[in-house]
Each structure stands twice: as C-alpha cells, then as structure tokens.
Amino acid sequence: MRQIAALPYRITADGSAEILLITSRETRRWVIPKGNPIAGLASHEAAAQEAFEEAGIRGIPCPSAVGDFCYDKRRRSGRLRPMIVSVYPMQVVEQVADWPERDQRETRWFPPDKAAAAVDEPELKALIRGFRKPPIPVAFEQRVLPVLRSRMRRRFPMLGWFQALMPKQGRFFELFDAHAATLVAGADALARLLHGEGSIESQIAEIVRREHEADDITREVLQDVRRVFVTPFDRSAITDLIGVMDDAIDQMNGTANAIALYEVTEFAPEMRDMAGIVVEAARITAEAIPLLRSLGSNAGRLHDLTARLIQIEGHADDIHDTGLRALFAASKSHADPMAFIIGREIYSSLEKIVDRFEDVANEIQGLVIDHA
C-alpha cells in the first residue's frame, strides 16, 4: 500500500537547512508528516494537507518526490502491513498557532544529520541525510590553506617569490555562492507570489531587488575573468556557468513583470506547482555550487544533484502541458482568448526558469567531466 509524506524544511540565515520532525501518536517516535492519498488532491497536495493537520505548517510543496521509503504499519489487529511512502519536499512558510493534531504530537526542528539519526527507517534516514549535504566550510580553507602555502614557501623559497608575482585567483567561488543565494531568495519570492503569501507588489519588488543583486555579482565575475591570470576553471566555463545562473533569475524577473503588466491576481494550480519546482531547483543549485571547490571528492554528489535537476525539469514540462490544456479548455468555454494568451505567457516564462536550471545542471556536469 502506498502513502504520501511531506519533508518540511527551512533555510536558516546562515544558509543551512533544518528539517521538521513530529512524534507519532502511539509510539512517540520521530517521523515526518505522512498519510494516505486524498481523493481530489494530487500527491504533493495531499502531503501538504497532512503536514498542516499533523504539524500545523503551511508551505510550498514540490510536486516531484525526492524519493521513497518503506516501513511496516501496525494495524489494530496487531498485524503488520508493509507501506511504501513517497516523500515530497516542502518549504515551510509558517507554523500556525493551532492545528487539528496539536495536542497529540510534538514538533521540533533538527539539522539534517540529527533528523536522520532521530528517525528509524533506514531509507528515510538516507533521504534526510542526503537532502542538503553541507559543503566544506570556507573557514576551513581560510585556516588550512595559508598554513600549507607558508610551509611550501619555507621549503621552496623560489616558489614563494614566484607566487608573489602571480595575480590572485579572484573570488569566483564566493561570487558563485552569493549568486546562488539570490536564486534561492528569488525563487522563494516567486513561489510566495503564486501561492498568495503576502502582497503581490512586495513579492515582485523582492524579485526585482534580487535580480539587481545578481546582475552586480555577474559583473564582478566577468571582471575577475578578465583581470585574473589564474582561474579555477576554463574562463569559458566560468562565464557560461554564471551566465545560465543569471538567466534563471532574469527569467524569474520576467515572470514577475508579466504578472504585474497583465495585473494577474489568481494563479492556476499548475502554475503554483511549477513555482514549487523552481524553489526545489534553486535549493539544489545552492547545494551544488559550493561543492565546485573540490570537484574530485564531490563528483558523486554533484552527479546526484544534477540528475535531480534534470528529473524535475522533465516533471515541470508535464505540468506545463497539463496547465496549458486546462487553460485552453477554460478560455474556449468562456470565449476569452485574452485569458489564454496571458496565461500561456506566464506558463512559458515559468517553463523557461526551470529550463535555465537544467542548463545550470549541464554546465556543472561539464565541469565534473573536464576537471574531476
């Protein structure tokens, strides 16, 4: 028998992820919100409904499952029934003050590693542990690399003299990380806009602000490419990667501009689902980019992340087509061709955002192939 579950998460101010777990009603062990499919709701929508009823959280679910896990459900007769649970990532927007099962469960936020240790199911442990693998802290490089360089200069004085003449390597990794952060913030604002969280004007303003920040970061990267003698990758690879990342947030800005231009205030379920995929794609990108600092040791994880990006891009295409068919049928029955034209433009813009994230995946895969 199949069930659905939400994997509720939030990104903290320092960029790390936290997972929300709840206790089961009978055994009081730590679990994620889950339940049976709900008639009339898509699987990810049913998972979001379970998350509200069991944990009081509202958020933006991704319509593409991150994976499955199995467990044995004990029935009232005492017999065990094997269950397969599809897990849908859900970015939490808020936890309300009251909800149906508030008095029956405890809720708590965990770092991913501690959340993985708290649950019992091995496959769920693996899903949570791999949800956002922390990159090597920059502080580690700042502490260790200067010491290694100092030792090398003492052993080989000529090397230190030569390095002093060489231009620095620039701030490429830091700038890539900063740009990925704008993608996460822009995707969050876009999803909130389409899900009716906050005013449309404030969310559009946030997307525009993040797009301007991204433009500034892109210009700095291109300036470093021109002035720095030694770069971590081929110059064309650097410009291509920052280019497709910038295209993604440019397209978010284009979507927001279209919504403002046509004064759209209501959005179809398929549009909201595509926004959920944009949020997931931005989260994956923000995890993948710091791993570029060490391509050799992170090649396997980067392969998994880029494969996930390509997978959800295909899911977004299916949602796009379904939404267009529903839009055409509605506009034909209401004899409103303008509604179809405007809706098609928004769908097209949302699809292009996800396409740009697939381009990011392809660029990262190219770097792994060339340098790992």
Side-chain angles (χ1 to χ4, degrees), residues 2-8 19 32-34 43-44 47 61-70 84-90 123-125 127-128 131 280 308 311:
R2 297 199 69 92
Q3 288 187 320
I4 44 81
L7 184 60
I19 305 294
I32 58 176
K34 64 180 183 297
S43 295
H44 64 290
C62 175
S64 182
V66 74
D68 299 329
F69 73 94
C70 299
I84 301 175
V85 186
S86 297
V87 181
Y88 295 87
M90 176 178 169
E123 293 163 319
L124 180 57
K125 285 178 179 288
L127 284 177
I128 295 176
F131 185 69
E280 176 73 350
R308 170 75 173 157
Q311 172 204 3

Side-chain angles (χ1 to χ4, degrees), residues 72-258:
D72 292 327
K73 182 178 179 66
R74 186 172 297 277
R75 303 177 64 86
R76 293 180 180 177
S77 63
R79 297 178 61 186
L80 298 178
R81 184 173 188 177
M83 310 293 288
I84 301 175
V85 186
S86 297
V87 181
Y88 295 87
M90 176 178 169
Q91 179 177 310
V92 174
V93 172
E94 70 166 341
Q95 186 171 32
V96 300
D98 192 22
W99 62 91
E101 299 183 15
R102 179 184 179 185
D103 297 331
Q104 303 173 42
R105 302 178 187 272
E106 179 185 349
T107 65
R108 186 184 302 173
W109 289 99
F110 293 85
D113 57 341
K114 293 185 178 180
V119 299
D120 292 341
E121 298 81 3
E123 293 163 319
L124 180 57
K125 285 178 179 288
L127 284 177
I128 295 176
R129 192 177 294 115
F131 185 69
R132 184 180 174 88
K133 183 178 179 181
I136 298 173
V138 176
F140 174 84
E141 296 180 357
Q142 292 172 340
R143 290 195 307 269
V144 176
L145 292 186
V147 174
L148 294 178
R149 293 190 183 109
S150 176
R151 291 176 180 174
M152 290 292 290
R153 283 196 294 270
R154 286 199 298 269
R155 288 190 63 186
F156 305 100
M158 184 62 71
L159 178 60
W161 175 82
F162 180 73
Q163 287 180 335
L165 296 179
M166 294 290 286
K168 304 300 180 186
Q169 286 197 7
R171 299 165 298 147
F172 294 109
F173 293 124
E174 291 80 2
L175 292 171
F176 278 130
D177 291 351
H179 199 292
T182 69
L183 293 176
V184 172
D188 177 65
L190 180 65
R192 288 172 183 264
L193 191 164
L194 269 65
H195 280 77
E197 301 289 345
S199 70
I200 290 178
E201 294 77 12
S202 64
Q203 301 300 353
I204 290 177
E206 174 68 5
I207 295 170
V208 172
R209 184 172 73 86
R210 295 299 184 172
E211 193 270 338
H212 290 165
E213 289 180 4
D215 284 344
D216 293 339
I217 295 167
T218 300
R219 280 193 292 271
E220 290 190 50
V221 171
L222 296 179
Q223 288 173 2
D224 274 4
V225 167
R226 290 192 293 270
R227 70 178 178 82
V228 173
F229 185 73
V230 179
T231 58
F233 313 121
D234 296 339
R235 296 175 193 277
S236 61
I238 293 172
T239 57
D240 288 346
L241 178 57
I242 197 65
V244 294
M245 290 174 67
D246 202 51
D247 288 343
I249 197 161
D250 284 346
Q251 200 60 56
M252 293 181 206
N253 188 43
T255 306
N257 288 337

